[in-house]
């Protein structure tokens, strides 16, 4: 059995022993199982006091009142929100669910003292088109002072707000709901203005190639268009690499990969740039050590691909919308000696596994593996070089 699903299967078998008498109670059992699943398998419990999932009387009362699929979906969203982890999500949603960050966000917001500062703006997004720039301040959301909106966000869950949670909530509020526009007040030295911006679900996704190329001076730039989860990207990347001349610098642009992907695509890309099996990423599963007292850790390799080899220099561009597998690809390139340039990445935690709840079949997703650079740096703490620094 694939190790990625061992924990989910075991949990499902345990829950099956308490099969509900009716559909409504089945939804309730599933809701109440989420806290246990998180406390058993979530890879980052050390972020919280007592190494336990943040929980409140409000959330437990909601779980006990779940009797429909929609209520289960809403509760699951809110329970996972308590983790303040953009990588903990549900497999289904409601029309008014909050947008996923970073996939459907265009503003990266961080709390700096009492203020909420926009530190990055997504390229070609509604926010960029409206003239929002890094360094601007997010002062209001839907007419409410951002500080008050963030406090209400956590107060509604009954969960204490942390410094980490404040930035998390601000980014979610700035991304808005999955339907309807966002009303954001942006301030800078020139004054304040209130913008009505479409959410990125309303905007839709235009048809575009998985991979595109451009020339930048003498370098070949290969842009991955948020397609690291599509195995067709392998052929598209191979076709792009066929344009590279002998010894030419290749720049791989991962600045639009917020939705992550899979290791097959990542290893196919890395395989162009190695001549022997090379370590590119380290994994651990904390749940095994918590349960059995035996640590589990392994290092994954990338192998050369027959007939696919580029010996020229390679560098990688990243930013806040480089997420999950995009981040894994970046640390993999760094491990094999490529230069990684740009802004901080999304900092998404670990590798997520799918958990199918026993009675409803609803899927929740959260990090079970912790991921590291081969030098031991947690992936979420990896820092790229500055774009202005000289190439190596």
């Amino acid at each position: 059995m694939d190790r990625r699903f061992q924990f989910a299967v075991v949990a499902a078998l345990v829950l099956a022993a308490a099969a509900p008498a009716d559909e409504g109670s089945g939804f309730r059992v599933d809701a109440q199982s989420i806290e246990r699943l998180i406390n058993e398998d979530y890879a980052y419990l050390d972020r919280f006091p007592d190494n336990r999932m943040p929980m409140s009387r409000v959330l437990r009362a909601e779980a006990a009142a779940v009797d429909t699929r929609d209520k289960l979906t809403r509760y699951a969203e809110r329970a996972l929100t308590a983790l303040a982890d953009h990588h903990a999500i549900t497999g289904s949603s409601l029309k008014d669910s909050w947008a996923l960050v970073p996939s459907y966000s265009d503003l990266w917001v961080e709390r700096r003292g009492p203020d909420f500062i926009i530190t990055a703006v997504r390229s070609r997004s509604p926010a960029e088109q409206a003239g929002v720039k890094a360094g601007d301040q997010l002062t209001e959301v839907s007419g409410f002072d951002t500080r008050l909106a963030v406090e209400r966000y956590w107060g509604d869950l009954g969960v204490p707000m942390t410094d980490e949670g404040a930035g998390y909530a601000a980014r979610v509020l700035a991304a808005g709901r999955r339907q309807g526009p966002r009303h954001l007040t942006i301030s800078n030295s020139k004054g304040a203005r209130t913008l009505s911006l479409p959410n990125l679900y309303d905007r839709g996704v235009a048809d575009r190639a998985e991979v595109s190329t451009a020339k930048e001076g003498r370098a070949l730039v290969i842009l991955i268009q948020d397609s690291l989860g599509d195995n067709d990207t392998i052929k598209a990347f191979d076709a792009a690499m066929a344009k590279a001349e002998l010894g030419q610098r290749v720049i791989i642009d991962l600045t639009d990969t917020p939705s992550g992907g899979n290791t097959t695509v990542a290893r196919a890309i890395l395989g162009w740039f190695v001549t022997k099996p090379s370590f590119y990423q380290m994994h651990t599963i904390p749940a095994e050590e918590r349960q059995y007292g035996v640590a589990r850790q392994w290092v994954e390799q990338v192998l050369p691909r027959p007939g696919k080899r580029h010996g020229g220099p390679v560098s990688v561009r990243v930013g806040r919308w480089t997420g999950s597998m995009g981040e894994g690809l970046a640390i993999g390139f760094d491990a094999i000696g490529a230069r990684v340039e740009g802004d901080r990445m999304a900092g998404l935690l670990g590798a997520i596994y799918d958990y199918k709840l026993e009675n409803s079949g609803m899927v929740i997703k959260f990090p079970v593996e912790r991921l590291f650079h081969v030098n031991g740096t947690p992936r979420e703490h990896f820092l790229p070089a500055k774009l202005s620094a000289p190439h190596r």
Side-chain angles (χ1 to χ4, degrees):
M1 181 182 296
D2 190 326
R3 61 175 173 247
R4 288 180 174 271
F5 300 100
Q6 287 176 345
F7 295 115
V9 170
V10 169
L13 291 173
V14 170
L15 292 176
D22 57 70
E23 186 177 36
S25 63
F27 292 131
R28 182 165 55 255
V29 168
D30 281 356
Q32 293 173 326
S33 74
I34 292 173
E35 181 180 0
R36 180 170 67 254
L37 290 173
I38 296 292
N39 283 329
E40 288 175 351
D41 291 352
Y42 183 59
Y44 295 87
L45 287 176
D46 57 348
R47 297 170 58 223
F48 312 120
D50 302 321
N51 293 319
R52 304 288 293 176
M53 172 187 178
M55 186 47 68
S56 67
R57 287 180 294 178
V58 171
L59 289 173
R60 287 201 175 104
E62 287 183 21
V66 167
D67 57 6
T68 67
R69 178 171 290 276
D70 282 357
K71 288 182 180 179
L72 174 60
T73 300
R74 178 69 75 213
Y75 172 75
E77 290 176 335
R78 286 166 58 80
L80 293 174
T81 290
L83 299 175
D85 179 347
H86 292 305
H87 222 188
I89 59 177
T90 57
S92 55
S93 62
L94 303 173
K95 290 182 178 180
D96 64 343
S97 294
W98 291 106
L100 293 180
V101 176
S103 293
Y104 289 90
S105 70
D106 56 4
L107 295 173
W108 195 270
V109 186
E110 300 178 54
R111 186 167 75 170
R112 301 278 176 82
D115 301 323
F116 288 87
I117 306 300
I118 296 165
T119 59
V121 180
R122 191 172 185 172
S123 179
R124 300 179 297 278
S125 69
E128 184 187 62
Q129 291 164 5
V132 182
K133 299 184 182 300
D136 289 351
Q137 183 177 341
L138 178 64
T139 50
E140 292 184 2
V141 177
S142 299
F144 292 97
D145 181 277
T146 306
R147 284 170 285 186
L148 178 60
V150 168
E151 289 170 1
R152 287 183 172 182
Y153 182 93
W154 288 108
D156 183 54
L157 296 172
V159 174
M161 183 180 72
T162 63
D163 288 342
E164 187 178 21
Y168 170 93
R171 291 187 287 275
V172 172
L173 291 168
R177 302 280 186 178
R178 299 188 185 211
Q179 61 179 7
R182 300 166 284 158
H183 303 288
L184 307 176
T185 300
I186 308 296
S187 301
N188 54 35
S189 60
K190 297 180 180 179
R193 58 194 181 116
T194 298
L195 304 174
S196 180
L197 300 175
N199 67 65
L200 272 64
Y201 293 85
D202 285 347
R203 186 182 67 158
V205 178
D207 290 335
R208 57 185 183 179
E210 295 94 348
V211 175
S212 62
T213 61
K215 292 292 291 292
E216 190 172 293
R218 295 181 178 180
L220 174 68
V221 179
I222 300 179
L223 175 64
I224 311 293
Q225 306 266 23
D226 202 18
S227 58
L228 292 175
D230 184 348
N231 289 336
D232 288 341
T233 298
I234 298 172
K235 291 182 179 179
F237 185 82
D238 291 349
M241 284 300 302
K243 300 178 183 179
E245 299 171 4
L246 184 66
Q248 183 181 23
R249 173 172 294 282
V250 172
I251 301 171
I252 299 176
D253 191 327
L254 300 176
T255 57
D256 185 26
T257 56
S259 301
N262 65 63
T263 64
T264 304
V265 175
R267 286 182 285 107
I269 293 171
L270 284 165
W272 272 89
F273 305 97
V274 296
T275 57
K276 61 182 179 180
S278 304
F279 294 119
Y280 88 94
Q281 181 170 250
M282 185 164 64
H283 309 242
T284 67
I285 298 183
E288 288 202 23
E289 186 170 10
R290 288 198 298 263
Q291 184 174 357
Y292 303 112
V294 180
R296 181 178 182 185
Q297 178 173 298
W298 69 98
V299 184
E300 191 169 0
Q301 290 186 319
V302 58
L303 278 65
R305 296 177 59 203
K308 306 287 191 297
R309 169 65 184 154
H310 183 71
V314 59
S315 58
V316 180
R317 289 179 179 165
V318 299
R320 284 299 193 182
W321 284 272
T322 305
S324 192
M325 197 63 249
E327 297 177 85
L329 191 49
I331 65 171
F333 268 110
D334 189 79
I336 65 172
R339 177 179 174 81
V340 180
E341 309 169 323
D343 196 0
R344 285 178 177 268
M345 299 187 287
L348 298 182
L349 298 177
I352 61 175
Y353 290 11
D354 288 3
Y355 285 75
K356 188 174 183 179
L357 301 181
E358 173 66 18
N359 301 294
S360 63
M362 196 183 89
V363 173
I364 63 172
K365 307 165 181 274
F366 58 84
V368 174
E369 291 180 17
R370 296 181 86 131
L371 298 175
F372 302 83
H373 190 290
V374 295
N375 66 14
T377 301
R379 187 184 72 182
E380 63 272 17
H381 295 160
F382 175 80
L383 294 176
K386 296 296 184 183
L387 280 169
S388 58
H391 291 297
R392 71 182 182 193

